[in-house]
Amino acid sequence: MTMDPLSQVYKGQEMPLQRDVDAISIPFGKTVTLVEDSSVVVMQAKGSSVSVSHEGRLYLIEGHDLDALGLEALERPTLDPDASEEEMEAFVWAQLRTCFDPEIPVNIVDLGLVYGCRIERLLTGECMVTIRMTLTAPGCGMGDVIAEDARRKILGAPQFSKVHVEIVFDPPWSREMMSEEARLELGMF
């Protein structure tokens, strides 16, 4: 049995980058390249991603790039080419459960941020995923980061060629939308 690479990462741990790595900038959601031998400090290691600080800015590094931190990279989840519609939808939900707001240690599904997902087959034969989600507050600056993280993880499956994340505020998010596990994790009982 192999150990989860994220179990070896601790908040506040400083790590030198072993190679150049693409990361998602927080809160802008844009891809930037962090260069080899740069030093990063771990802020959060949850799901299949690590949030790091570098030169006063925050970034999200995906699990399949953990080797840049000197850890074993996680395999990108994928689907069998003949996956059914149900298997494709289950894959999407599983990937969403690996997405975390960089400031909250609970995945976006258990936080109650995801209102639904729809998979459509386009005229070209491609599959597009549309995700409707919200944020904990309309002014939350993490929407672009969460949306980009979800896009990247879902696009790991060759069946999906497009992912559209629609951020909505109706109905507004409330604590009641959180799962029991999320409320327990955050001490909200």
Side-chain angles (χ1 to χ4, degrees):
M1 185 165 117
T2 55
M3 179 182 275
D4 174 11
L6 294 182
S7 69
Q8 303 169 48
V9 182
Y10 302 98
K11 185 174 181 175
Q13 182 177 358
E14 187 170 339
M15 304 179 88
L17 292 177
Q18 308 294 307
R19 65 169 176 85
D20 289 359
V21 63
D22 285 342
I24 302 170
S25 66
I26 300 171
F28 307 109
K30 302 295 181 208
T31 300
V32 299
T33 301
L34 302 178
V35 297
E36 182 178 359
D37 294 327
S38 297
S39 185
V40 299
V41 176
V42 174
M43 303 308 287
Q44 177 171 277
K46 288 285 187 180
S48 61
S49 305
V50 177
S51 302
V52 298
S53 172
H54 173 65
E55 296 180 349
R57 296 184 187 267
L58 295 176
Y59 301 93
L60 189 68
I61 297 175
E62 294 183 70
H64 66 269
D65 284 325
L66 286 178
D67 61 307
L69 296 171
L71 301 168
E72 181 183 334
L74 300 175
E75 274 190 49
R76 264 190 103 121
T78 190
L79 278 165
D80 184 278
D82 299 321
S84 67
E85 296 284 329
E86 293 80 22
E87 290 169 321
M88 288 193 289
E89 184 172 345
F91 174 87
V92 170
W93 283 103
Q95 293 314 297
L96 292 172
R97 282 186 172 83
T98 69
C99 296
F100 287 74
D101 180 315
E103 300 174 324
I104 303 173
V106 175
N107 73 68
I108 63 174
V109 174
D110 286 337
L111 271 176
L113 298 182
V114 180
Y115 291 163
C117 86
R118 185 176 70 242
I119 300 171
E120 300 173 274
R121 199 163 294 277
L122 304 176
L123 293 175
T124 60
E126 300 171 297
C127 284
M128 180 175 90
V129 178
T130 301
I131 296 166
R132 289 189 78 236
M133 65 172 286
T134 193
L135 303 172
T136 55
C140 175
M142 296 300 142
D144 291 338
V145 173
I146 296 167
E148 183 61 19
D149 189 29
R151 269 188 213 97
R152 287 177 172 216
K153 289 176 177 174
I154 293 166
L155 287 172
Q159 286 86 339
F160 305 121
S161 57
K162 297 175 190 214
V163 176
H164 173 69
V165 179
E166 179 185 3
I167 301 205
V168 298
F169 295 102
D170 188 27
W173 179 84
S174 69
R175 291 179 181 190
E176 290 74 35
M177 295 174 160
M178 295 168 59
S179 70
E180 277 188 44
E181 294 83 12
R183 283 182 276 198
L184 183 62
E185 172 80 21
L186 297 174
M188 297 180 139
F189 272 106

